[in-house]
Every structure is written in C-alpha cells, then in structure tokens.
Amino acid sequence: MASNPKEPESDNPPPDAEAQVSSLVFALILIDPNGLVAQLNHSAESLLRTSAKRLIGQDLATIISPLDDRVSAWLASDDGALVARDVRVSLAGRELSVNLTMSGLATHPGWRVLTVSELAHEKASGEETGEHPVGAPSILAHEIKNPLAAIRGAAQLISRKLASGDQSLAHMITNEVDRIARLIDRMQLLGSKGSELTEPCNPHEAIRSALATVRAVGLEGIEIVEEFDPSLPPVQAHQDSLEQVLINLISNSRDALQSSIESGRPARIIIKTRYVGGLMFSARRQGRTVQLPVEISVADNGPGVDLDLRDKLFDPFVTTKPSGQGLGLALVRKLMRDMDGSISHERDGPRGLTYFRLHLPLADDPKRGRK
C-alpha cells in the first residue's frame, strides 16, 4: 500500500510561484490583453539585456521580432497556444535562434505567457544531441592512421631514389599525409569525453595571451579594440583551453576581415568583457544548472556568416572558408562545454557586427560542482 506523501517541514515550506518563476533558466514574459509586457523573470532580463523596469509596459512586438511572418502573426493574435522550435528572431538588433512557446491563461482571458530559450545554450548543454558519437572519431583515427604511416614511410624511401628535380612530389605526399594526420587528431579531440581540470583563471590574461599569439601570425591592417571590465573576478576555466578558444575566434575574425582590408575599408575586432548576472544554462550531462555570469565577446565588422550556415556553425565539417576543414568552431564548442561554459553566435545587422559570445562560471561558485 502506498504511504501518504510526507507533509513539508514547517521550517522549510515549498517555494511560492514567484520564487519558482524567478529560478527558471529560460525567459518567461507575461503579456497583458493589450500586447504589453506586464511581468518578466530574471532570465528574460538577461536574454533581452534590459532591466524589467525598462521593459514593463512595452509592446511585445518592439522587443521580439520573429523573422518568420507566421510566427509574428501568431504572437500578435490571441488564438490558442503556440510552440515554435528553432526559429530566428531579432532581439534589439541581435539575430538569435530560439524556441518559443505562447499559452493563454484560462482564468484571465486575454493574458498570455511567453517563454523564450536561446537555442545555442540548449545545444551546448549536453552530448546527447548525437552530433558526433563518442568513440567514432577514435575508431576512424585508428583505421586511417596506420595506413597513413605506411604511405609516409614509403614516400620517404622513394624520395631517396628520385632525382632532385622529382623529390618535390615525394615531399608533397609526406606533407599531405601530415596534414591529414593533424585533421584526424582534431577529430579525436571532438570525440573525447575527457576534459582538463579547471581552476581560477584571469580572463584578461587569457585574452592578451591569445592576442599575442595571433599577432605573431599577423593582424596588419586590423584595429583591435579592447573593452575590458577590470573589476571582473576570476573564472573557473582551463587556461590553455580558454586561450585556444580565443585564438580560434580572433583568427576567424581576422580571416573574415581580409576582404575589407583588400578593399581599403575599416577592419576592426572588438574584444569585450563584462558581467551579466543571472545568465544560466542547464548542464544536462551533470544534471545541474550552471550560472555563467562572465561574458567574453569577440566581434568584427566583416561581412558576417551566410544566413543558411548560421544555425550550423558549431557542427563538425561546416565552414565558410574555401580551404577550411570545419572543425575549428566544433572544437571551440567542445572546449567550452568541458569548462561548463557556453558559446553563441549572433549578427547585429544595424551595426554591421558579427559576435561570438563566451559565457563562463565564476571561480569557486558554490552552486557549481567541482571537477
């Protein structure tokens, strides 16, 4: 026989509705019968990057503008419920991919509740998405590397018997074998379940180290703008991994600006740090919610990413470069995930800027499990 549920302890009552709503990791907005924002939770403030005081009373259409006309029409009406997955919206000039739900309140005709969750953070929350099965890259690497080593050895032996004028062909073989081996090494990193131990890390030191590395390769013709918040506390990260992430992002911005440099247009990379209290995402692999209040953004005023590629940027083998391998951003996402952080991409059309935003946890956050 089932026992009666235990009554809650008097000194530990269940949280009220307001506490439950305020703790949600996705944005929740209450819309009145006139289509105006009546209330919103802390996650909505973080997503919209505006305080509740400034948002309450505004028309919903001025805050969220779906780029799909059907979704726009539904949000403007009061007909039933709406569930829209992976739709692009404009939030204060930022284009994001989000999941939307809209539902009415039976007890309050005309009132509606809207929820918004950014797709980039959901995709970064776990490995159950099946984008690259764990172990598959390692198996593939084992099957390919052995014959590659044999090909490389054979090319070296052949080069010793060739005339000096023909040795360039043998060198080309060994160079291509080495290039493929490096590509396989990067594939193995994507499939690896292991991660480095994290520790308190100064985000500005990581940025300056990454900039020094990219400058050694070349940043001629590009203006670097640093907008740092000197009061930021340390983040919980792996120093080398964070530097590698930043090197990849800054290098990508540099490459995106080459056409601007060649045509004589201004070329600019803006690296900014700031505190965005309240931003969270769900780390489903560990069954917990992680607060990510420290943001590092890398922006450039290049042409941006083609619209049809924006939602696939972090997938393996997706690239915008003619000679790219499409593993750089996939590895970046993997490294950020291993540090319990997240990465997102957005295009600010009115300002002509492309953003990559990193969000990281504070060092020694008591709400965050230790690795």
Side-chain angles (χ1 to χ4, degrees):
M1 179 181 295
S3 60
N4 292 329
K6 185 179 179 180
E7 293 295 328
E9 299 290 342
S10 58
D11 59 347
N12 188 24
D16 58 19
E18 183 177 355
Q20 295 177 48
V21 168
S22 65
S23 66
L24 294 175
V25 296
F26 53 83
L28 187 146
I29 305 172
L30 178 64
I31 310 299
D32 72 13
N34 296 316
L36 306 180
V37 175
Q39 292 181 10
L40 63 160
N41 66 354
H42 194 56
S43 293
E45 291 180 281
S46 296
L47 179 65
L48 298 171
R49 296 177 183 169
T50 309
S51 67
K53 184 177 180 180
R54 296 184 60 184
L55 290 169
I56 291 175
Q58 289 195 33
D59 192 313
L60 177 64
T62 65
I63 298 172
I64 299 178
S65 302
L67 302 181
D68 186 316
D69 292 338
R70 296 169 299 174
V71 177
S72 295
W74 199 283
L75 291 181
S77 70
D78 57 359
D79 297 332
L82 165 70
V83 176
R85 295 190 176 277
D86 198 1
V87 296
R88 295 201 65 81
V89 299
S90 176
L91 301 176
R94 298 181 297 132
E95 291 185 12
L96 302 174
S97 292
V98 300
N99 289 336
L100 292 171
T101 70
M102 175 77 84
S103 54
L105 298 175
T107 57
H108 294 72
W111 289 78
R112 294 169 292 162
V113 174
L114 172 69
T115 69
V116 187
S117 54
E118 189 175 352
L119 205 59
H121 293 287
E122 291 186 7
K123 287 183 177 179
S125 64
E127 292 175 327
E128 70 276 12
T129 53
E131 289 153 351
H132 42 80
V134 174
S138 296
I139 296 171
L140 181 63
H142 177 75
E143 294 298 323
I144 294 178
K145 274 191 170 182
N146 285 339
L148 278 181
I151 293 171
R152 194 182 195 284
Q156 289 176 324
L157 289 174
I158 291 172
S159 68
R160 298 172 187 174
K161 301 180 180 181
L162 293 175
S164 58
D166 296 327
Q167 287 187 348
S168 61
L169 295 174
H171 292 325
M172 181 188 71
I173 294 173
T174 57
N175 290 339
E176 284 300 296
V177 167
D178 290 343
R179 183 185 66 81
I180 296 171
R182 290 193 297 270
L183 174 61
I184 293 171
D185 287 340
R186 298 180 77 184
M187 289 175 61
Q188 284 183 286
L189 283 175
L190 287 177
S192 172
K193 291 186 69 174
S195 58
E196 302 286 350
L197 291 175
T198 60
E199 59 185 2
C201 171
N202 185 326
H204 298 130
E205 288 182 3
I207 294 171
R208 292 196 170 98
S209 179
L211 274 172
T213 300
V214 181
R215 278 197 176 100
V217 178
L219 283 173
E220 293 82 5
I222 299 176
E223 177 189 4
I224 303 296
V225 180
E226 297 180 359
E227 299 180 1
F228 294 170
D229 179 354
S231 67
L232 280 185
V235 297
Q236 190 76 16
H238 182 258
Q239 180 87 16
D240 290 347
S241 296
L242 181 56
E243 288 180 13
Q244 184 61 56
V245 166
L246 291 163
I247 288 170
N248 282 21
L249 295 182
I250 296 169
S251 298
N252 284 349
S253 288
R254 176 198 60 199
D255 295 344
L257 291 168
Q258 291 309 304
S259 61
S260 298
I261 295 172
E262 293 169 1
S263 61
R265 298 193 303 272
R268 185 179 303 109
I269 296 176
I270 305 167
I271 305 175
K272 182 177 181 178
T273 63
R274 64 173 187 154
Y275 188 90
V276 286
L279 183 64
M280 297 182 288
F281 93 109
S282 174
R284 276 174 265 178
R285 290 173 300 142
Q286 289 82 20
R288 54 192 165 81
T289 297
V290 182
Q291 293 185 336
L292 305 175
V294 175
E295 178 183 284
I296 304 173
S297 63
V298 178
D300 65 73
N301 63 337
V305 179
D306 290 343
L307 185 60
D308 59 346
L309 290 180
R310 291 180 187 176
D311 294 335
K312 306 173 185 176
L313 268 182
F314 300 104
D315 293 345
F317 308 113
V318 174
T319 181
T320 60
K321 303 176 184 179
S323 59
Q325 299 165 347
L327 293 177
L329 287 177
L331 179 58
V332 162
R333 182 176 63 176
K334 200 268 182 188
L335 293 175
M336 290 300 297
R337 177 185 298 166
D338 288 345
M339 294 185 286
D340 285 344
S342 72
I343 180 170
S344 60
H345 162 269
E346 64 190 52
R347 175 69 179 174
D348 186 338
R351 298 179 62 193
L353 294 174
T354 298
Y355 285 90
F356 284 89
R357 299 187 188 275
L358 308 176
H359 292 101
L360 290 158
L362 292 178
D364 298 325
D365 186 341
K367 296 182 180 181
R368 177 182 181 275
R370 298 301 299 272
K371 288 193 174 184

